[in-house]
Amino acid sequence: MSYQKYGIKPELVERVKFKLKNPVIKDRMRMLISNVTKYDLQDRVKVRKLVKSAALILHENLTELQEEQLVHFIVSLKIDPNNTFHLLKLWSMFR
């Protein structure tokens, strides 16, 4: 399963990966998602709010379409942040 199937552009992913190498930004993102549960990641409203907050932290101007693509991607993956296997799958998708 690839993020590109959801219409997410590789250029966006590369920019975000580069920005996350900055320890300050990485810390702010960790704080944003520190208390997120798998149920939060299935709620489209909460996911949209997380995507908007992350975009602000990363100084990324997302279009409505990009935002919707990211929300659809996150919800459809059914990610459990406490499941190591899920996190490894995500890591391998974006390395």
Side-chain angles (χ1 to χ4, degrees):
M1 190 176 296
S2 172
Y3 60 87
Q4 292 175 339
K5 291 180 184 176
Y6 293 88
I8 300 168
K9 297 197 184 283
E11 298 83 27
L12 173 64
V13 172
E14 290 304 317
R15 275 197 318 270
V16 168
K17 284 170 46 176
F18 178 76
K19 289 178 181 183
L20 284 173
K21 290 181 182 178
N22 179 332
V24 174
I25 291 177
K26 193 174 193 175
D27 242 12
R28 290 182 69 198
M29 290 297 286
R30 278 190 183 142
M31 288 188 329
L32 175 66
I33 62 171
S34 64
N35 296 320
V36 173
T37 67
K38 68 179 179 180
Y39 303 108
D40 293 335
L41 296 177
Q42 289 300 295
D43 182 344
R44 293 186 75 78
V45 174
K46 287 182 182 179
V47 171
R48 184 173 301 280
K49 186 176 178 183
L50 285 169
V51 166
K52 286 182 179 185
S53 297
L56 283 174
I57 291 170
L58 294 166
H59 303 291
E60 282 290 330
N61 294 322
L62 299 177
T63 64
E64 284 292 319
L65 178 61
Q66 288 173 317
E67 201 175 288
E68 184 55 39
Q69 290 167 334
L70 288 166
V71 169
H72 181 65
F73 171 71
I74 293 167
V75 170
S76 65
L77 284 182
K78 297 181 179 164
I79 302 164
D80 179 359
N82 295 318
N83 184 325
T84 305
F85 179 68
H86 286 201
L87 299 177
L88 285 172
K89 271 180 39 179
L90 277 173
W91 178 78
S92 67
M93 192 181 303
F94 291 101
R95 25 173 235 166

